[in-house]
Short mmCIF file of all heavy atoms in Angstrom, two decimals:
data_model
loop_
_atom_site.label_atom_id
_atom_site.label_comp_id
_atom_site.label_asym_id
_atom_site.label_seq_id
_atom_site.Cartn_x
_atom_site.Cartn_y
_atom_site.Cartn_z
N ILE G 208 56.89 11.55 -67.11
CA ILE G 208 56.70 10.29 -67.81
C ILE G 208 55.24 10.17 -68.20
O ILE G 208 54.36 10.80 -67.62
CB ILE G 208 57.10 9.07 -66.95
CG1 ILE G 208 56.19 8.95 -65.73
CG2 ILE G 208 58.56 9.13 -66.54
CD1 ILE G 208 56.33 7.63 -64.98
N THR G 209 54.98 9.36 -69.21
CA THR G 209 53.62 8.96 -69.56
C THR G 209 53.44 7.52 -69.11
O THR G 209 54.26 6.65 -69.43
CB THR G 209 53.38 9.07 -71.08
OG1 THR G 209 53.53 10.43 -71.47
CG2 THR G 209 51.98 8.59 -71.43
N VAL G 210 52.40 7.26 -68.36
CA VAL G 210 52.14 5.91 -67.86
C VAL G 210 51.23 5.20 -68.86
O VAL G 210 50.09 5.60 -69.06
CB VAL G 210 51.48 5.95 -66.47
CG1 VAL G 210 51.22 4.52 -65.97
CG2 VAL G 210 52.37 6.69 -65.48
N HIS G 211 51.74 4.16 -69.48
CA HIS G 211 50.97 3.37 -70.45
C HIS G 211 50.35 2.17 -69.73
O HIS G 211 51.06 1.30 -69.25
CB HIS G 211 51.86 2.89 -71.59
CG HIS G 211 52.38 3.98 -72.45
ND1 HIS G 211 51.58 4.73 -73.27
CD2 HIS G 211 53.64 4.47 -72.61
CE1 HIS G 211 52.31 5.63 -73.91
NE2 HIS G 211 53.56 5.49 -73.52
N LEU G 212 49.03 2.14 -69.68
CA LEU G 212 48.33 1.03 -69.06
C LEU G 212 47.78 0.10 -70.14
O LEU G 212 47.18 0.55 -71.11
CB LEU G 212 47.17 1.53 -68.20
CG LEU G 212 47.51 2.37 -66.98
CD1 LEU G 212 46.23 2.78 -66.26
CD2 LEU G 212 48.44 1.62 -66.05
N LYS G 213 47.97 -1.19 -69.94
CA LYS G 213 47.30 -2.19 -70.75
C LYS G 213 45.93 -2.47 -70.15
O LYS G 213 45.71 -2.29 -68.95
CB LYS G 213 48.13 -3.48 -70.80
CG LYS G 213 49.48 -3.33 -71.49
CD LYS G 213 49.32 -3.01 -72.95
CE LYS G 213 50.66 -2.98 -73.67
NZ LYS G 213 50.49 -2.61 -75.10
N ALA G 214 45.00 -2.91 -70.98
CA ALA G 214 43.66 -3.20 -70.49
C ALA G 214 43.72 -4.18 -69.31
O ALA G 214 44.39 -5.21 -69.39
CB ALA G 214 42.80 -3.79 -71.61
N GLY G 215 43.04 -3.84 -68.24
CA GLY G 215 43.00 -4.66 -67.05
C GLY G 215 44.00 -4.26 -65.98
O GLY G 215 43.87 -4.68 -64.82
N GLN G 216 44.99 -3.45 -66.33
CA GLN G 216 45.95 -2.99 -65.34
C GLN G 216 45.34 -1.89 -64.48
O GLN G 216 44.45 -1.14 -64.93
CB GLN G 216 47.23 -2.48 -66.00
CG GLN G 216 48.10 -3.58 -66.58
CD GLN G 216 49.43 -3.05 -67.11
OE1 GLN G 216 49.48 -1.99 -67.73
NE2 GLN G 216 50.50 -3.79 -66.88
N VAL G 217 45.84 -1.78 -63.26
CA VAL G 217 45.37 -0.77 -62.32
C VAL G 217 46.56 0.10 -61.91
O VAL G 217 47.58 -0.44 -61.46
CB VAL G 217 44.75 -1.42 -61.06
CG1 VAL G 217 44.33 -0.35 -60.06
CG2 VAL G 217 43.55 -2.29 -61.44
N ALA G 218 46.43 1.39 -62.07
CA ALA G 218 47.46 2.34 -61.64
C ALA G 218 46.96 3.11 -60.43
O ALA G 218 45.98 3.85 -60.53
CB ALA G 218 47.82 3.30 -62.77
N PHE G 219 47.59 2.91 -59.30
CA PHE G 219 47.34 3.74 -58.13
C PHE G 219 48.32 4.92 -58.18
O PHE G 219 49.49 4.74 -58.54
CB PHE G 219 47.58 2.96 -56.84
CG PHE G 219 46.47 2.02 -56.47
CD1 PHE G 219 46.51 0.69 -56.85
CD2 PHE G 219 45.37 2.47 -55.72
CE1 PHE G 219 45.49 -0.18 -56.50
CE2 PHE G 219 44.35 1.60 -55.39
CZ PHE G 219 44.40 0.28 -55.77
N TYR G 220 47.85 6.11 -57.82
CA TYR G 220 48.76 7.24 -57.76
C TYR G 220 48.34 8.23 -56.70
O TYR G 220 47.16 8.36 -56.37
CB TYR G 220 48.89 7.93 -59.13
CG TYR G 220 47.63 8.54 -59.69
CD1 TYR G 220 47.37 9.91 -59.58
CD2 TYR G 220 46.68 7.75 -60.37
CE1 TYR G 220 46.22 10.47 -60.11
CE2 TYR G 220 45.54 8.30 -60.90
CZ TYR G 220 45.31 9.67 -60.77
OH TYR G 220 44.17 10.22 -61.29
N ASN G 221 49.35 8.89 -56.14
CA ASN G 221 49.12 9.92 -55.13
C ASN G 221 48.45 11.11 -55.81
O ASN G 221 48.95 11.63 -56.80
CB ASN G 221 50.46 10.33 -54.53
CG ASN G 221 50.32 11.30 -53.37
OD1 ASN G 221 49.75 12.39 -53.51
ND2 ASN G 221 50.87 10.93 -52.23
N ASN G 222 47.31 11.56 -55.28
CA ASN G 222 46.59 12.61 -55.99
C ASN G 222 47.27 13.96 -55.91
O ASN G 222 46.90 14.89 -56.63
CB ASN G 222 45.14 12.71 -55.48
CG ASN G 222 45.01 13.40 -54.14
OD1 ASN G 222 45.90 13.32 -53.29
ND2 ASN G 222 43.90 14.08 -53.92
N ASN G 223 48.30 14.08 -55.07
CA ASN G 223 49.05 15.33 -55.01
C ASN G 223 50.41 15.23 -55.70
O ASN G 223 51.25 16.12 -55.55
CB ASN G 223 49.22 15.79 -53.56
CG ASN G 223 47.98 16.54 -53.08
OD1 ASN G 223 47.31 17.21 -53.84
ND2 ASN G 223 47.66 16.39 -51.80
N ILE G 224 50.61 14.18 -56.49
CA ILE G 224 51.75 14.17 -57.39
C ILE G 224 51.49 15.20 -58.48
O ILE G 224 50.34 15.50 -58.81
CB ILE G 224 51.96 12.76 -58.00
CG1 ILE G 224 53.37 12.62 -58.57
CG2 ILE G 224 50.90 12.45 -59.07
CD1 ILE G 224 53.72 11.17 -58.95
N LEU G 225 52.52 15.80 -59.01
CA LEU G 225 52.35 16.76 -60.10
C LEU G 225 51.98 15.97 -61.36
O LEU G 225 52.76 15.13 -61.82
CB LEU G 225 53.64 17.56 -60.31
CG LEU G 225 53.56 18.82 -61.17
CD1 LEU G 225 52.58 19.84 -60.57
CD2 LEU G 225 54.93 19.45 -61.33
N HIS G 226 50.78 16.21 -61.88
CA HIS G 226 50.31 15.38 -62.99
C HIS G 226 49.34 16.17 -63.87
O HIS G 226 48.87 17.25 -63.51
CB HIS G 226 49.64 14.11 -62.47
CG HIS G 226 48.34 14.33 -61.74
ND1 HIS G 226 48.26 14.86 -60.48
CD2 HIS G 226 47.05 14.08 -62.11
CE1 HIS G 226 47.00 14.93 -60.08
NE2 HIS G 226 46.23 14.46 -61.07
N ARG G 227 49.06 15.58 -65.02
CA ARG G 227 48.07 16.14 -65.93
C ARG G 227 47.50 15.01 -66.77
O ARG G 227 47.99 13.87 -66.74
CB ARG G 227 48.67 17.24 -66.82
CG ARG G 227 49.72 16.76 -67.80
CD ARG G 227 50.43 17.92 -68.50
NE ARG G 227 49.54 18.70 -69.34
CZ ARG G 227 49.61 18.75 -70.67
NH1 ARG G 227 50.52 18.05 -71.33
NH2 ARG G 227 48.77 19.48 -71.37
N GLY G 228 46.46 15.30 -67.55
CA GLY G 228 45.89 14.33 -68.47
C GLY G 228 45.96 14.88 -69.89
O GLY G 228 45.77 16.07 -70.11
N VAL G 229 46.27 14.01 -70.84
CA VAL G 229 46.30 14.36 -72.26
C VAL G 229 45.41 13.36 -72.98
O VAL G 229 45.73 12.16 -73.05
CB VAL G 229 47.73 14.33 -72.83
CG1 VAL G 229 47.72 14.71 -74.30
CG2 VAL G 229 48.64 15.26 -72.04
N TYR G 230 44.28 13.83 -73.53
CA TYR G 230 43.23 12.95 -74.03
C TYR G 230 43.06 13.08 -75.54
O TYR G 230 42.82 14.17 -76.05
CB TYR G 230 41.91 13.26 -73.31
CG TYR G 230 42.04 13.25 -71.80
CD1 TYR G 230 41.49 14.27 -71.03
CD2 TYR G 230 42.73 12.23 -71.16
CE1 TYR G 230 41.61 14.26 -69.64
CE2 TYR G 230 42.86 12.21 -69.78
CZ TYR G 230 42.29 13.23 -69.02
OH TYR G 230 42.42 13.22 -67.65
N ASP G 231 43.17 11.96 -76.22
CA ASP G 231 43.12 11.87 -77.68
C ASP G 231 41.69 11.51 -78.11
O ASP G 231 41.19 10.44 -77.76
CB ASP G 231 44.11 10.80 -78.14
CG ASP G 231 44.22 10.69 -79.65
OD1 ASP G 231 43.39 11.29 -80.36
OD2 ASP G 231 45.13 9.99 -80.11
N SER G 232 41.07 12.39 -78.87
CA SER G 232 39.69 12.16 -79.30
C SER G 232 39.56 11.04 -80.33
O SER G 232 38.46 10.59 -80.62
CB SER G 232 39.09 13.45 -79.87
OG SER G 232 39.82 13.88 -81.02
N GLN G 233 40.69 10.58 -80.88
CA GLN G 233 40.66 9.53 -81.90
C GLN G 233 40.91 8.14 -81.32
O GLN G 233 40.87 7.15 -82.06
CB GLN G 233 41.71 9.83 -82.98
CG GLN G 233 41.53 11.17 -83.66
CD GLN G 233 40.16 11.33 -84.28
OE1 GLN G 233 39.72 10.46 -85.04
NE2 GLN G 233 39.47 12.42 -83.97
#
Side-chain angles (χ1 to χ4, degrees):
I208 64 168
T209 298
V210 180
H211 293 292
L212 295 180
K213 296 294 185 182
Q216 288 186 319
V217 177
F219 283 94
Y220 62 99
N221 186 302
N222 76 328
N223 278 327
I224 198 169
L225 194 60
H226 68 286
R227 66 189 296 248
V229 180
Y230 308 134
D231 184 349
S232 62
Q233 302 304 309

